[in-house]
Amino acid sequence: MKKIIIGNWKLNLDHLEAIQLLQKLNYSLDVDIEEKIDIVLAPSHTSLRSLQTVVDTDKLKIQISSQDVSGYLNGPYTGEVSAAQLSKLNISYSIIGHSERRTVFNESDELINTKVHNSVDNNIIPIICFGEPDELRTNNEFLRFILNQVNSAVKGLRKDKVDEIIFAYEPIWAIGTGKVASVEDAIQVLSTVKEEVSKKSFFDEEKTRFIYGGSVSPSNAAELLNSKIIDGALVGGASLDVEKFVQIIRSIKL
Ligand code: PEP
C-alpha cells in the first residue's frame, strides 16, 4: 500500500505564506519520494485556490486537501463551503470529523456522516478522523467508542459511489500534546477498525488506508510509519515546519 502523509495546517498561514511553504516543501523533496509517497497539504479554505493553482501550473505531485466540508450542498448557509465548490477547484481530499471540529464546534456523528456522503458524491476522498478522549482510554471503553464513530461516519456508503477512503486514528490526548500513541496502541486500533470496515460492502483493500495522527514528529515517525499496518500519518504541528515535515516523510523506508 502506498503510504500517505497529510499535513494539517489548521488555522495558520495566510495564502502568501501557504504558497511559500508549499514551494519550500517541494524544493526539499525529490521527485522520487513524491512519486512513492502521497503527500497532501490541508491549508485553510482561503489558501486552497492559490495552492491548487501552484500545483496545477508547476505540475507538482503534492496534493491538496480541505480541512473540512459543509454538510449542506448549497443554499442559505452563510460561511459554509460545499463539496462541489471544492471539487471544482480540483481539491482531492477533505479532512472530516477532526476532533477539533467534534469538540470545539460540536459536530455530531450524523453531521460527519453527511459530510462523508457529500464528499464521495463529489469525488473528494474523505479523510475520516476518529479517536477517544483520555478518560475512555484509561477505562478501556475506547474501542467501542471508536467503532461507533467509524460506523456512524460510513453509514449508508455504497460501493458504486466510493472510490478511496482514508481512516485516521487520532486519539484526542495525543493531538498537539507531544504525547504520541505507542506503535502497539496505534496498530491495535487501526487493525480493529480495518476488521470492522472490511465487512462493509464499499470496502476495497487496495483503496482504503488506515493512518495515525497525534504528535507525529521526526523522533517517532520512523517507528510508526514503517509498520505494515499503518499506511501513513496525519501531521499537525510538525507540518508547519518544512524541515520537520520532510524528516517525517523521509523516515519512510522506500
Ligand atoms: C492534527 O491536528 O490532526 C494533529 C495530529 O496534530 P498534531 O500533529 O499537532 O498532534
Side-chain angles (χ1 to χ4, degrees), residues 83 106 110 114:
N106 292 321
E110 291 70 29
T114 307

Side-chain angles (χ1 to χ4, degrees), residues 184-247:
E184 293 73 29
D185 287 345
I187 288 178
Q188 181 200 22
V189 170
L190 291 176
S191 316
T192 307
V193 169
K194 188 170 186 176
E195 200 185 315
E196 183 77 6
V197 173
S198 67
K199 297 180 206 151
K200 312 277 179 199
S201 64
F202 66 80
F203 179 73
D204 179 339
E205 175 127 43
E206 309 281 300
K207 291 183 165 185
T208 313
R209 285 183 279 200
F210 299 86
I211 69 173
Y212 169 79
S215 295
V216 174
S217 70
S219 60
N220 55 40
E223 209 189 346
L224 287 160
L225 291 169
N226 290 305
S227 147
K228 256 195 107 182
I229 306 288
I230 304 175
D231 298 321
L234 182 48
V235 184
S239 70
L240 289 162
D241 179 319
V242 171
E243 275 87 53
K244 285 188 187 161
F245 196 51
V246 168
Q247 278 180 54

Side-chain angles (χ1 to χ4, degrees), residues 108-136:
S108 65
D109 285 333
E110 291 70 29
L111 176 58
I112 288 160
N113 176 247
T114 307
K115 292 182 174 197
V116 171
H117 277 272
N118 289 354
S119 294
V120 300
D121 289 348
N122 286 281
N123 302 314
I124 291 175
I125 301 165
I127 302 163
I128 301 173
C129 300
F130 51 90
E132 78 286 2
D134 204 10
E135 60 275 18
L136 290 191

Side-chain angles (χ1 to χ4, degrees), residues 67-72 94-120 126-131 145 148-155 157 165-168:
Q67 295 177 11
D68 189 27
V69 62
S70 180
Y72 296 101
S94 180
I95 297 174
I96 297 178
H98 192 282
S99 69
E100 287 153 14
R101 300 240 36 111
R102 292 179 188 262
T103 54
V104 184
F105 300 97
N106 292 321
E107 290 198 1
S108 65
D109 285 333
E110 291 70 29
L111 176 58
I112 288 160
N113 176 247
T114 307
K115 292 182 174 197
V116 171
H117 277 272
N118 289 354
S119 294
V120 300
I127 302 163
I128 301 173
C129 300
F130 51 90
F145 178 84
N148 187 42
Q149 283 186 324
V150 170
N151 282 320
S152 305
V154 300
K155 207 167 156 190
L157 287 185
I165 296 204
I166 295 168
F167 290 93

Side-chain angles (χ1 to χ4, degrees), residues 22-183:
L22 165 65
Q23 286 174 330
K24 204 167 160 203
L25 176 65
N26 187 56
Y27 286 130
S28 312
L29 292 168
D30 27 274
V31 182
D32 193 41
I33 287 200
E34 293 181 348
E35 272 165 4
K36 291 184 178 150
I37 300 169
D38 280 326
I39 299 165
V40 180
L41 297 175
S44 297
H45 285 334
T46 49
S47 300
L48 287 171
R49 169 103 167 112
S50 315
L51 292 200
Q52 192 60 49
T53 302
V54 175
V55 165
D56 291 343
T57 312
D58 296 346
K59 299 195 171 44
L60 306 189
K61 293 276 181 320
I62 294 169
Q63 301 168 83
I64 307 299
S65 171
S66 66
Q67 295 177 11
D68 189 27
V69 62
S70 180
Y72 296 101
L73 296 176
N74 55 52
Y77 304 106
T78 304
E80 292 288 275
V81 174
S82 75
Q85 290 172 322
L86 295 172
S87 188
K88 196 77 178 167
L89 289 179
N90 289 332
I91 300 303
S92 317
Y93 303 83
S94 180
I95 297 174
I96 297 178
H98 192 282
S99 69
E100 287 153 14
R101 300 240 36 111
R102 292 179 188 262
T103 54
V104 184
F105 300 97
N106 292 321
E107 290 198 1
S108 65
D109 285 333
E110 291 70 29
L111 176 58
I112 288 160
N113 176 247
T114 307
K115 292 182 174 197
V116 171
H117 277 272
N118 289 354
S119 294
V120 300
D121 289 348
N122 286 281
N123 302 314
I124 291 175
I125 301 165
I127 302 163
I128 301 173
C129 300
F130 51 90
E132 78 286 2
D134 204 10
E135 60 275 18
L136 290 191
R137 175 146 283 270
T138 42
N139 73 7
N140 232 13
E141 285 288 311
F142 65 100
L143 283 177
R144 192 146 39 101
F145 178 84
I146 283 168
L147 289 180
N148 187 42
Q149 283 186 324
V150 170
N151 282 320
S152 305
V154 300
K155 207 167 156 190
L157 287 185
R158 294 204 330 249
K159 196 176 180 69
D160 57 333
K161 293 236 180 147
V162 177
D163 190 25
E164 284 185 53
I165 296 204
I166 295 168
F167 290 93
Y169 171 46
E170 295 215 306
I172 296 175
W173 46 268
I175 297 179
T177 58
K179 235 167 97 180
V180 67
S182 67
V183 178

